Amino acid sequence: MKRLGILISGRGSNFEAIADHIAAGTLDAEIAVVISNRETAPGLEAARRRGLTAIAIPSRGLDREVYDRRLADELEKHQVDVICLAGFMRLLSAGFIRRFANRILNIHPSLLPAFPGLDAQRQALEHGVKLAGCTVHFVDEDLDAGPIVLQAAVAVRDDDTVETLSARILAEEHRLYSEAIAIVLSGRYSLDGRRVLLR
Ligand code: GRF
């Protein structure tokens, strides 16, 4: 059974969706550890309620290299095959990314490369796009930038607010992340430059 390490900073609804897919048998994997850089992340409590190993490794005041080494050591200790960033609000250092090359995924609430960074749904709404959505991608050293595994589009409605649009995107995120994880775990893909070719 392939082992996932999940990194969160907050609510953890994407983590919970992954756990639900595993419980329902629609994703063949196990969650080895959930780690948050914030002790108060609600997702940590949710993970403990599910009987999972959930750890806080506070990042405050730590040098990035030092923090990332600590994080990587913890993930290796739990023998994770793939690392899923699920609302993890930190950039990872080159050293960390090299240690887990092509084994780190992120989910972002926009159709990348549009609207990287914070408040992607607000950026999309304010730009006036007609299609918004979400992206699961491999993580490289740049923010929200690595090779794209899967995307899902959501139509923007005239009466959308940041909240209503975010909620519809989030529903897609909860489906898409597990699909992308399944592809990566099964090895049913190849990397051709930036392109992730599905087999
Ligand atoms: C999601 O919108 C995700 O795409 C973004 O951060 C948010 C995390 O939400 N990276 P949650 O903590 O998974 O509920």
Side-chain angles (χ1 to χ4, degrees):
M1 183 83 80
K2 298 281 190 178
R3 296 166 65 80
L4 302 177
I6 301 192
L7 303 186
I8 63 169
S9 298
R11 181 176 59 177
S13 75
N14 274 289
F15 144 65
E16 293 222 70
I18 294 165
D20 286 344
H21 278 286
I22 291 173
T26 47
L27 175 62
D28 192 21
E30 64 185 307
I31 296 174
V33 65
V34 178
I35 302 176
S36 171
N37 64 317
R38 295 191 187 135
E39 278 158 322
T40 54
L44 273 184
E45 208 31 62
R48 292 192 185 113
R49 276 199 302 274
R50 289 170 183 263
L52 296 168
T53 305
I55 305 168
I57 308 182
S59 47
R60 217 171 314 106
L62 282 187
D63 175 78
R64 185 173 305 280
E65 304 291 327
V66 172
Y67 182 78
D68 282 7
R69 252 198 312 278
R70 201 171 287 181
L71 191 60
D73 288 346
E74 194 65 40
L75 289 160
E76 267 175 9
K77 187 174 113 195
H78 288 89
Q79 299 178 309
V80 306
D81 296 292
V82 165
I83 297 164
C84 303
L85 310 190
F88 185 63
M89 305 299 281
R90 282 178 64 83
L91 263 182
L92 293 165
S93 58
F96 184 98
I97 288 160
R98 241 179 286 125
R99 229 164 123 173
F100 300 98
N102 295 332
R103 294 198 288 140
I104 312 169
L105 291 172
N106 181 43
I107 187 153
H108 183 73
S110 79
L111 294 174
L112 290 171
F115 316 125
L118 290 178
D119 277 334
Q121 304 94 330
R122 179 183 302 280
Q123 291 184 55
L125 206 55
E126 287 178 354
H127 195 89
V129 295
K130 300 296 185 189
L131 282 176
C134 51
T135 303
V136 179
H137 64 91
F138 285 107
V139 172
D140 65 14
E141 286 167 43
D142 298 314
L143 179 66
D144 300 327
I148 291 169
V149 182
L150 289 177
Q151 292 187 303
V154 162
V156 178
R157 297 180 189 154
D158 287 349
D159 61 354
D160 263 330
T161 62
V162 174
E163 288 69 34
T164 60
L165 180 60
S166 299
R168 286 208 312 293
I169 294 173
L170 193 63
E172 289 299 308
E173 293 183 39
H174 291 167
R175 178 185 64 75
L176 196 73
Y177 212 169
S178 288
E179 263 182 49
I181 292 167
I183 289 168
V184 172
L185 290 181
S186 71
R188 285 184 281 113
Y189 72 95
S190 56
L191 264 173
D192 176 16
R194 285 199 49 87
R195 302 183 71 199
V196 178
L197 306 176
L198 306 183
R199 292 184 280 201

